[in-house]
Amino acid sequence: MSALPAGGKIQAITRWGEPVMHKPCREVTSFDAELRSLVADMVATMYAAEGVGLAANQIGVGLKVFVFDCPDADGHHHTGVVCNPTVRVPVGRDRVLDDDEEGCLSLPGAFVACARTDTAEVRGIDLHGRPTSYAGDGLLARCLQHEADHLDGIVFADRLSTKARKKLYKEAARLAGDFPSGWPTSR
Ligand code: ZN
């Protein structure tokens, strides 16, 4: 577990439909002050939006880095920063799917059931350029998969049936007035 960088500025969250959300981000190659500043802004924005994770393209920067502060199945909070993540999920006999509700700060307010493996491990590089990894269950397993997906240009609607996707968009449209353009800076 690592401490998240503080002192960042809250940014407007980029919504689904913007091109940066739907194409793979670039690998991080410089572990410098600029990266630390970006990550501090991501942390401030994640907390302002009351999310459990945030990917860089969700504040409009197409770089492979995400942050999280998320509870596991036992309610223990895990925090971290992962650059250039690769995800490993159980296969074969060990593969168990959870069909819990999932939402996304880039389609704020709406939730729908989405099948994900009940555990996941992510490996990558930390803010200082050193190898790092996180593994977990419960909401943490879902969050690690969801955020790594973002950096590959995948939003969770891409993993839903047509029916579930329609339900999700309908709910998001109903709640759109609660999340004006510029949210969460506009709160
Ligand atoms: Zn998301």
Side-chain angles (χ1 to χ4, degrees), residues 100-115:
D100 288 336
E101 301 253 294
E102 188 157 327
C104 181
L105 296 178
S106 295
L107 188 78
F111 291 83
V112 72
C114 179

Side-chain angles (χ1 to χ4, degrees), residues 16 21 53-55 58 102-107 146-147 150 154-156:
W16 292 6
M21 296 303 300
L54 192 83
Q58 293 184 274
E102 188 157 327
C104 181
L105 296 178
S106 295
L107 188 78
H146 180 113
E147 301 311 332
H150 271 312
I154 297 166
V155 298
F156 85 93

